[in-house]
Amino acid sequence: MTSLVKMAHGYLEERSCLKFHEIDPRVVANRSDFTYIYYYFSGALENCCLKHYDDDLGRRMVLITPICRMPAEIAHVVLHALGVTHIRREPFNELAVRAKLFPSHVLCKNKLEKLRMFALD
Ligand SMILES: [Zn+2]
């Protein structure tokens, strides 16, 4: 599962200004001022686009399943974990995704190229 998560992070980092850092969940589990993504694998044959988050802080679980293990699929659920939502069976709001992938206060390498790729993806 670690390699799937790394591929999904790489997928997002290549297409955005996001940067992911691995941390030990035991270090942050009891912090009330911290949000982190927790990856969980389920062998159940279920869709991974299940849950949207209401809380601003805390653990955000990303479910990886046998039918949801491609980098783009996991990246989709990571967007949910980052707070981007969509109506069931409807696409994301592209502007909301763009704002999350390219925060205005964050500078990153190849930002213009990535923005062009975002528009074409
Ligand atoms: Zn979804």
Side-chain angles (χ1 to χ4, degrees):
M1 186 170 90
T2 301
S3 63
L4 293 175
V5 170
K6 286 183 178 174
M7 284 192 302
H9 286 174
Y11 184 90
L12 279 167
E13 288 175 349
E14 287 173 13
R15 292 163 172 78
S16 73
C17 289
L18 299 178
K19 194 78 179 155
F20 294 88
H21 303 279
E22 186 173 347
I23 57 171
D24 184 338
R26 294 172 296 187
V27 173
V28 294
N30 294 322
R31 284 183 55 180
S32 60
D33 63 340
F34 197 81
T35 300
Y36 63 100
I37 300 172
Y38 181 84
Y39 294 90
Y40 180 78
F41 182 82
S42 167
L45 299 173
E46 60 186 319
N47 191 327
C48 56
C49 175
L50 297 175
K51 189 173 184 178
H52 297 176
Y53 300 89
D54 297 324
D55 298 332
D56 288 337
L57 298 170
R59 185 174 90 165
R60 307 282 178 92
M61 189 176 78
V62 169
L63 179 64
I64 299 173
T65 73
I67 62 171
C68 184
R69 54 186 299 148
M70 299 299 291
E73 294 168 323
I74 298 169
H76 176 100
V77 186
V78 169
L79 285 173
H80 284 309
L82 296 174
V84 185
T85 63
H86 61 83
I87 297 170
R88 189 170 180 209
R89 298 184 190 275
E90 295 284 331
F92 279 122
N93 175 303
E94 193 171 326
L95 291 176
V97 172
R98 183 181 161 130
K100 191 60 72 175
L101 297 179
F102 301 98
S104 59
H105 62 285
V106 174
L107 296 174
C108 70
K109 190 176 175 184
N110 301 326
K111 186 173 186 176
L112 288 177
E113 183 180 315
K114 290 176 177 181
L115 279 164
R116 277 190 224 108
M117 190 164 55
F118 175 81
L120 296 175
D121 269 355

Short mmCIF file of all heavy atoms in Angstrom, two decimals, residues 49 76 80 86, ligand 1:
data_model
loop_
_atom_site.label_atom_id
_atom_site.label_comp_id
_atom_site.label_asym_id
_atom_site.label_seq_id
_atom_site.Cartn_x
_atom_site.Cartn_y
_atom_site.Cartn_z
N CYS A 49 -14.62 6.54 -3.12
CA CYS A 49 -15.17 7.90 -3.03
C CYS A 49 -16.42 7.84 -2.16
O CYS A 49 -17.54 7.86 -2.65
CB CYS A 49 -15.50 8.43 -4.42
SG CYS A 49 -16.31 10.02 -4.41
N HIS A 76 -8.03 11.42 -6.28
CA HIS A 76 -9.41 11.92 -6.15
C HIS A 76 -9.84 11.92 -4.68
O HIS A 76 -10.38 12.91 -4.18
CB HIS A 76 -10.34 11.03 -6.99
CG HIS A 76 -11.78 11.38 -6.87
ND1 HIS A 76 -12.45 12.12 -7.80
CD2 HIS A 76 -12.69 11.08 -5.90
CE1 HIS A 76 -13.70 12.27 -7.42
NE2 HIS A 76 -13.89 11.64 -6.26
N HIS A 80 -10.74 14.87 -1.59
CA HIS A 80 -11.80 14.87 -0.57
C HIS A 80 -11.19 15.10 0.81
O HIS A 80 -11.70 15.89 1.60
CB HIS A 80 -12.57 13.56 -0.56
CG HIS A 80 -13.53 13.41 -1.68
ND1 HIS A 80 -14.46 14.37 -2.00
CD2 HIS A 80 -13.72 12.41 -2.58
CE1 HIS A 80 -15.17 13.98 -3.03
NE2 HIS A 80 -14.74 12.79 -3.41
N HIS A 86 -17.88 17.02 -3.90
CA HIS A 86 -18.74 17.06 -5.09
C HIS A 86 -20.02 16.32 -4.76
O HIS A 86 -20.06 15.50 -3.83
CB HIS A 86 -18.04 16.45 -6.31
CG HIS A 86 -17.68 15.00 -6.15
ND1 HIS A 86 -18.58 13.97 -6.37
CD2 HIS A 86 -16.52 14.41 -5.77
CE1 HIS A 86 -17.96 12.82 -6.14
NE2 HIS A 86 -16.71 13.06 -5.76
ZN ZN B 1 -15.45 11.74 -4.99
#
